[in-house]
Amino acid sequence: MVDEHTHSAPIVVASNRGPVAYKLREDGSLAAGRGGGGLVSGLSAIGPDAGAVWVCAAMGEGDREAARRAGPRLPASDTAGHRVRMLDIAPDTFAAAYNGVANSVLWFLHHMLWQTPLEPVFDAEFRAQWAAYEAYNTAFADALAEEAAEGASVLVQDYHLTLVPGLLRERRPDLRIGHFSHTPWAPPDYYRLLPDDIAEQVLRGVLGGDRAAFLTRRWAEAFAGCCADVLGAEVVREDGAGGAAVAVRFEGRTTRLGVHGLGADGDFLRERAHREDVEQRMAVLRERVGPGRRAIVRVDRTELSKNIVRGLRAYRRLLEDRPQWRGKVVHIAFAYPSRQDLVVYRHYMAEVARVAREINAAFGTEDWEPVVLHLEDDFPRSLAAYRLADVALVNPIRDGMNLVAKEVPVVSDRGCALVLSREAGAAAELGDDAITVNPYDVEATARALHEALSMDPAERAERTKRLASAATALSPARWFVDQLAALERSRPGGDASRR
């Protein structure tokens, strides 16, 4: 059942995770907490009077109970005034779609993480999981079709919902539909590891929208290449054959391609980083580091793509090759839990802890702990580490953007040198003032850490200013509004490629 507000929203946002998460207390009551990250800031930019609706999925039992009790919309008191519809998708369907397909197939695909002698294996179990992914996307398409006003703008987020634009187009051809990919996009040769029909279905799903947008030009070009290679679609290029891909034409429709590089929320970070809870954690970290020592900082979720183990090995190599840094530098490594319901992620987290212990055992002394490792999520502690950083190590195997690379320079008290993987989307914007590395090359990363630690303080300060400026050039709010404006221009008559 839906309420009288059906077909009333001029703007609708769809994402797997919403702006609020619920926990079920022992007494049966519900506790609501903030969720959604940058999207919350983005949606806030359009204001409460815009009539926007956010459609998301219930992630756990607390969310499901909240969705059951609330009906079509969650209480505004829980959602900071946002109008939120939370879908209570059957737990088995959600688990198969979310863990079986989105996180274990599409995430691995776009981050190019498979060990191809052994994986992937697309068998009967996968086909059952894919059917759940289709059902999950269909539930979103149905809800969006019910919520959207005539001619509304719908912004669909990420790899969880690749089929939604096509499904929604079938239901509501009047809508302006955009899809945004927060991950990289796999190049054609790797993308074709998917079964042929699935590879085609995903592309057709995204091309059901008026726009397909990405964090960098590189990922947009990869998507266009997949459309040409798998579907035989026409790629429209700016200024002829040698220009950037700007649209894909397929079966009588044109889908515009967009690039929107998400930035850090500088105002929020600077204010939040100077609250009392951060100051308290800074005092604790300073004591752990010790007086006069440098700090190499990394803050990540423990995802396979973040390359934490190689980062630790590069730090070990630094201590082996450059003994002058022993006792004079500490690696603050925060590796927060991610997807611990998947065995491979639990094993990876255990390996991170093992390598850190190994370094401390090999090099530690009575008054020097080479690696300070924390595996429990603590945002104020992360901000404290940002402020203390002399060097930020951000070395993902592959990343759509990587906001940590942007956040540390904004918050760092004394300025920091950034060691950045060339495979992070952020390298396109920050590479000129970072020390870029091949994320697989432990030796080169160790040399980069030495270069960063040895950087002249004045140069480091100047680089930090430029990094912070680039990092905050496109705030989450502006990122969101720019996409809305571009989608508005994509309506028939508003875009030359559609005429």
Side-chain angles (χ1 to χ4, degrees), residues 295-299 330-333 385-386 388-394 408:
I296 299 172
V297 169
R298 78 172 306 137
V299 177
V330 171
H331 187 11
I332 300 173
Y386 287 0
L388 289 173
D390 297 291
V391 176
L393 175 58
V394 182
V408 181

Side-chain angles (χ1 to χ4, degrees), residues 18 28 33 46 104 126 149 164 237 254 259 292 303 332 346 377 381 386 391 412 431 433 446 453-454 479:
I46 62 175
S104 296
F126 165 74
V164 166
R237 295 194 172 273
T254 298
V259 175
E303 293 171 355
I332 300 173
R346 295 198 296 273
D377 198 350
R381 186 175 59 204
Y386 287 0
V391 176
S412 175
D433 288 298
L453 288 166
S454 305
W479 170 84

Side-chain angles (χ1 to χ4, degrees), residues 78-287:
D78 291 345
T79 63
H82 299 310
R83 300 165 71 196
V84 178
R85 178 170 176 176
M86 185 173 278
L87 304 180
D88 180 14
I89 296 169
D92 289 349
T93 300
F94 178 84
Y98 180 64
N99 285 328
V101 173
N103 288 342
S104 296
V105 175
L106 298 180
W107 176 272
F108 274 67
L109 171 75
H110 291 311
H111 290 84
M112 299 171 64
L113 290 174
W114 280 317
Q115 301 179 62
T116 52
L118 299 174
E119 57 186 14
V121 177
F122 297 119
D123 52 12
E125 180 183 4
F126 165 74
R127 290 291 173 171
Q129 292 170 334
W130 184 256
Y133 183 80
E134 291 175 315
Y136 166 85
N137 276 252
T138 298
F140 268 87
D142 288 342
L144 294 170
E146 291 171 351
E147 293 287 353
E150 182 75 19
S153 294
V154 181
L155 290 173
V156 181
Q157 306 296 316
D158 227 357
Y159 60 100
H160 313 88
L161 302 175
T162 59
L163 307 184
V164 166
L167 294 168
L168 185 56
R169 177 68 59 200
E170 294 171 0
R171 290 156 172 75
R172 294 287 305 276
D174 60 293
L175 301 177
R176 296 187 304 281
I177 305 167
H179 184 275
F180 192 91
S181 294
H182 293 261
T183 66
W185 194 276
D189 284 351
Y190 202 88
Y191 184 80
R192 297 205 76 153
L193 291 174
L194 288 176
D196 291 351
D197 60 320
I198 302 298
E200 182 174 330
Q201 190 177 353
V202 168
L203 294 174
R204 284 177 174 272
V206 176
L207 291 177
D210 298 284
R211 294 187 86 241
F214 303 86
L215 286 164
T216 72
R217 171 58 52 191
R218 181 181 177 187
W219 312 141
E221 292 287 349
F223 174 78
C226 289
C227 291
D229 192 58
V230 175
L231 299 177
E234 176 192 358
V235 178
V236 181
R237 295 194 172 273
E238 194 173 47
D239 301 324
V246 295
V248 175
R249 290 193 179 118
F250 182 64
E251 294 185 342
R253 279 191 47 77
T254 298
T255 300
R256 297 288 293 177
L257 303 181
V259 175
H260 302 276
L262 179 61
D265 189 341
D267 291 340
F268 165 75
L269 288 169
R270 292 184 186 100
E271 185 278 326
R272 184 65 183 86
H274 288 84
R275 293 185 193 173
E276 180 60 29
D277 56 351
V278 176
E279 298 286 354
Q280 291 170 356
R281 286 159 176 79
M282 281 187 71
V284 173
L285 282 176
R286 281 198 191 97
E287 187 173 347

